[in-house]
Amino acid sequence: MSEDVLDYLVVGAGPAGLQLGQQLDRAGHSYLVLEAGSGPATFFRTFPRHRTLISVNKKHTGWTDPELNLRMDWNSLLAEGDPDPLLFTDYSAEMFPSAEALLRYTADYAAKHEIAIRYDTRVRRISRADGNFVATAEDGTAFTALRLVMATGVSKAHIPDVPGMELVDQYADFDTDPAQFTNQRVLVLGKGNSAFETADSLNAYAAVLHVSGPRPVKLAWRTHFVGHLRAFNAGVLDMYQLKLQHAILDGDVREITKREDGYHVKFAFFRADEVIKELRYDRVIACTGFRFDASIFDEDCRPELTIDDRFPAQTSSWESVNVPGLYFAGTITQVRDFKKATSAFIHGFRYGVRALSKVFEERYHGREWPHTVLKTDVGDLVEAVITRINRSSALYQQFGFLADVLALERGQARYYEEVPVARVAERSPDVENAFVITLDYGPDHDKVDPFDFTVKRASQDVANDSGEGHYLHPIVRHYRHGELVATHHVTENLENEWNREVHVDALTAFLTKQLA
């Protein structure tokens, strides 16, 4: 292999690219991170437009365990082998910090770990040559690697195919000064956090403010998906419900026209049997999300797209489904747990990136997935599981997506940490007994209003395997040669502490029965 051919080429020095760079560097692989901007995390120089992050920064937890603290710290990056890691909580004490704090943090992270980054290098073309990936920058410089990791995020605006959409303001570049919207009728298109962030900024200025989208608003406190509407951005809902002129519209926009008196928007209202109605506005702002930009790839190595062509389709190992050796890291990995878990956000994909580095070690460098060998005594197995579910931040943040696996065969017990659940399913037929441990919510949890205090909660003092618990709790599934044979729900607990007698005894009984 030529010395000019890298083991890994990473495109994008955002949070995911930085952490992956740190992990590749520590593992001793040849790598390079390419970044279009003059510093790391360029995306956050512009977004969110109103400069307040909705990623939680809970600095005070009452805990001294750094692993537990990561359950409440949604912005810090992981740093393998660093005894004194940089923590974002040292950069801001605000629960919802400014984007500028994240820029300072990522710059310091890159400097501390001396990550090999080439700034001001925008990749314009990705091709294949002699089985390798070649990334060509705007200045003509070409970089070659055996494997390519795209950590660029969703960098291109997602613009719905609606006549007249090109006439309106776009979230990515509109003037955010709220004073210019004073006493106007304003329509915000979209029902994600960018739309409500924008609407809330205009709350006190616009005469009439409508937020529109084809689907009902989903609230994060109910679905437990943090990408749904957060309470921090929900001020317009309050105005709507208290009849203060602002409103939420459920329906499709069929057409937008611009006339002398402003914008005329035709809606097909879902709750009125798709009755078409035309409404007039002074301003329209499209906050309809972003998508992955696949246009830089040559046809023979262009990744297949999915979910309205917004994201690259990926295997359980974050590899392109149609381009071997092409991997993805960061927010674009949300396709694997779309609108369910947390891969779209730092507190989720930081664990995905760590798992991706283990995939690389296992697949290309002959190193088995890290694990601990345990005694096969049931008491030792229970202690290992109880210890992990009470401490792990990865299982807590990547609920239902990452799992610990307790594999027992030929008289040996091995404990694997933070394995993608989908990879476990692919490999479990080879294992005599595999216990897959996740933290997850109960079935239909998103159909239960958490503020409806008449809803019965599962008892915290009684072991049960009915699965009736709606709140986050550990679930242990037993697979025998790939076939699910039993499931145990560790009963939920108000403070997420599963180390009481009711938890230990029930788990002991379950493992004893299954291994009899």
Side-chain angles (χ1 to χ4, degrees), residues 116-408:
I117 306 172
R118 194 179 194 268
Y119 294 112
D120 298 311
T121 305
R122 182 176 296 278
V123 175
R124 282 304 184 194
R125 181 188 174 210
I126 294 175
S127 56
R128 295 297 294 265
D130 300 325
N132 300 318
F133 290 93
V134 180
T136 304
E138 283 182 329
D139 64 3
T141 306
F143 305 89
T144 305
L146 293 171
R147 291 163 285 275
L148 177 68
V149 183
M150 297 299 292
T152 54
V154 281
S155 57
K156 193 172 183 178
H158 172 65
I159 302 176
D161 185 17
V162 174
M165 188 64 72
E166 73 281 358
L167 302 173
V168 308
D169 291 317
Q170 296 293 329
Y171 173 75
D173 54 18
F174 86 102
D175 184 350
T176 58
D177 180 7
Q180 64 184 294
F181 298 91
T182 300
N183 212 33
Q184 292 187 348
R185 293 176 56 86
V186 181
L187 171 65
V188 177
L189 297 174
K191 284 186 177 173
N193 280 294
S194 63
F196 279 93
E197 162 208 330
T198 299
D200 267 10
S201 74
L202 307 180
N203 230 340
Y205 294 85
V208 174
L209 180 61
H210 290 170
V211 180
S212 170
R215 289 170 290 276
V217 175
K218 290 191 175 182
L219 305 168
W221 66 68
R222 182 164 183 164
T223 66
H224 303 118
F225 172 63
V226 298
H228 285 147
L229 178 59
R230 304 287 297 284
F232 184 80
N233 287 328
V236 172
L237 291 186
D238 203 47
M239 300 284 285
Y240 176 38
Q241 295 297 340
L242 297 176
K243 302 180 293 296
L244 292 168
Q245 293 187 281
H246 302 343
I248 310 300
L249 310 181
D250 287 343
D252 269 329
V253 174
R254 295 293 176 84
E255 184 182 21
I256 302 172
T257 57
K258 190 173 184 180
R259 305 175 191 171
E260 289 185 2
D261 62 341
Y263 296 89
H264 288 249
V265 182
K266 290 183 179 179
F267 291 98
F269 288 99
F270 290 167
R271 299 190 187 186
D273 298 322
E274 294 201 354
V275 169
I276 303 294
K277 186 173 182 179
E278 185 175 292
L279 298 177
R280 187 200 70 80
Y281 299 96
D282 297 299
R283 297 285 294 275
V284 179
I285 307 170
C287 304
T288 51
F290 297 87
R291 56 187 292 268
F292 175 72
D293 184 7
S295 64
I296 61 174
F297 288 86
D298 279 3
E299 190 64 35
D300 64 348
C301 63
R302 183 170 297 156
E304 179 182 317
L305 302 180
T306 188
I307 308 180
D308 296 329
D309 290 341
R310 292 180 63 185
F311 303 98
Q314 300 161 41
T315 70
S316 62
S317 298
W318 299 284
E319 186 178 22
S320 169
V321 298
N322 66 307
V323 184
L326 172 60
Y327 291 86
F328 304 94
T331 190
I332 49 179
T333 62
Q334 64 184 280
V335 70
R336 297 293 310 163
D337 56 357
F338 191 61
K339 295 190 177 181
K340 293 180 181 178
T342 58
S343 290
F345 313 94
I346 293 174
H347 68 292
F349 67 63
R350 65 189 178 193
Y351 302 103
V353 171
R354 181 158 71 184
L356 177 62
S357 69
K358 296 176 184 177
V359 170
F360 291 158
E361 295 302 319
E362 182 181 65
R363 182 171 290 180
Y364 302 114
H365 307 289
R367 297 167 186 161
E368 190 176 0
W369 196 281
H371 62 275
T372 303
V373 177
L374 303 174
K375 295 179 181 178
T376 56
D377 177 78
V378 170
D380 290 331
L381 303 181
V382 169
E383 182 180 359
V385 173
I386 291 293
T387 298
R388 279 287 295 168
I389 62 179
N390 280 285
R391 185 168 184 261
S392 168
S393 63
L395 301 189
Y396 188 91
Q397 301 287 29
Q398 282 282 46
F399 52 89
F401 184 75
L402 291 182
D404 281 3
V405 180
L406 180 58
L408 291 93

